[in-house]
Amino acid sequence: MKLVRAGIMIVAGAFVSVAVHANTLDLSGEWSVRLDPRDVGEKQQWFKAVEGRPIHLPGIVSEAGLGDPLALEPALTKEVFSHLHQNFRYVGAAWYVREIDLPDGWSDATLLLERTIWQTSVWVNGRMAGSLNSLSTPHRHAVGAFLKPGKNIIAVRVDNRMQVDLGELGHAYTDQTQTIWNGLVGKIELRRENPIQIKTSPLRVVLPEGGKLAVKVEAINHDGPDLPAWSKIVKAGEVTIDLPAKKMVKWSEFNPALYRVTVEFNGQEKSVVTGFRDVEANGRDLLINGRKSFMRGTLECCIFPKTGYP
């Protein structure tokens, strides 16, 4: 099977209506894409216009016929059979651009890009919203402040060049496994999300403004006590909630103790179910709650034979 290896800077264009489902707006469908091997797109402001070749997202640039064509001929050789090969190979920056029509009420929106390689930079209506890089987690860009009712241009620059030196054997970034593709796969959505964020270990709450914050921590699957209620007038930003460690039942695989954390703030409420644990490194050992732990899993190597990407 031939597949495409991609690494580009893409701009997706055409104006298309999008499907709105309550607090989620699906951005899959037709975009425009442009490769930017010389890294001139930002200087030339490619994020301001919908130009390039049509591409359907989720997808990758090799499916749009972009990149260096595969020169390898079918043969019973080690080179041919050692791993998948994309029909077109591209490693570099690519721009994906699209124009969408939005109703009112998306000023708190986040752009979700579920899977990509490796760095994404986002512009909305000509203004940069941010840049992220991750091979293993979705990219979430806060874009609400740049959106407006009516027509909006969203541009995503994807750079699939190596951002952090992983060596030659990292399964998430080799041609020998899933291939080094350039594109956006999985969910591509605008989401309206509660501006209150709850983070754990240690317990923290991120707030968009100042006000009265109240926190309850209730035991839900064990006999440990609920933790004392916490309440205080706080400023905007990240607030650390001090919890009494001696009263807390720590989570582990042998005792998966869970708590429901409920936050009340300025008339809003949000809750999550979580466990608390201490994680640290001691030389080459990983300790959870002071106990040596071992990670177990299946070696799958990120191989996707039908497409070359997840």
Side-chain angles (χ1 to χ4, degrees), residues 54 112 124 243:
L112 171 70
V124 178
L243 298 176

Side-chain angles (χ1 to χ4, degrees), residues 277-298:
R277 74 276 183 269
D278 298 322
V279 180
E280 61 182 315
N282 181 18
R284 299 183 62 182
D285 295 330
L286 175 67
L287 307 183
I288 298 180
N289 302 329
R291 181 174 184 171
K292 188 184 296 187
S293 300
F294 301 89
M295 300 294 105
R296 299 180 295 276
T298 301

Side-chain angles (χ1 to χ4, degrees), residues 106-287:
W106 288 84
S107 60
D108 58 350
T110 296
L111 174 63
L112 171 70
L113 306 173
E114 185 175 8
R115 188 67 65 214
T116 190
I117 298 178
W118 183 329
Q119 182 185 73
T120 60
S121 301
V122 173
W123 284 260
V124 178
N125 296 324
R127 300 166 62 193
M128 189 174 187
S131 182
L132 297 170
N133 79 72
S134 174
L135 285 172
S136 58
T137 59
H139 293 200
R140 291 181 170 88
H141 294 270
V143 297
F146 309 99
L147 295 169
K148 65 183 188 297
K151 294 183 180 181
N152 294 264
I153 293 180
I154 297 177
V156 181
R157 179 185 184 271
V158 176
D159 190 341
N160 67 342
R161 288 170 289 199
M162 184 176 288
Q163 306 296 314
V164 179
D165 187 2
L166 299 179
E168 299 180 356
L169 299 176
H171 290 162
Y173 191 77
T174 65
D175 284 316
Q176 284 71 32
T177 54
Q178 64 174 320
T179 71
I180 302 175
W181 47 269
N182 187 301
L184 297 168
V185 304
K187 294 180 180 178
I188 307 169
E189 298 175 343
L190 281 179
R191 291 184 172 183
R192 287 185 289 203
E193 299 179 340
N194 192 319
I196 300 172
Q197 300 177 43
I198 301 175
K199 301 180 179 182
T200 59
S201 294
L203 180 60
R204 293 150 291 154
V205 180
V206 181
L207 303 170
E209 58 188 2
K212 184 178 180 179
L213 173 64
V215 180
K216 294 188 301 183
V217 182
E218 304 167 288
I220 60 174
N221 69 339
H222 56 90
D223 296 330
D226 295 344
L227 301 182
W230 189 98
S231 180
K232 187 181 291 186
I233 301 297
V234 298
K235 297 180 180 180
E238 185 173 284
V239 180
T240 299
I241 312 301
D242 296 322
L243 298 176
K246 292 183 179 180
K247 294 184 178 181
M248 184 186 302
V249 179
K250 299 290 183 68
W251 180 96
S252 74
E253 61 176 313
F254 307 105
N255 182 30
L258 297 176
Y259 290 87
R260 177 176 288 106
V261 178
T262 302
V263 170
E264 295 180 1
F265 177 75
N266 289 356
Q268 301 180 70
E269 182 175 293
K270 184 173 184 177
S271 65
V272 298
V273 173
T274 187
F276 299 101
R277 74 276 183 269
D278 298 322
V279 180
E280 61 182 315
N282 181 18
R284 299 183 62 182
D285 295 330
L286 175 67
L287 307 183

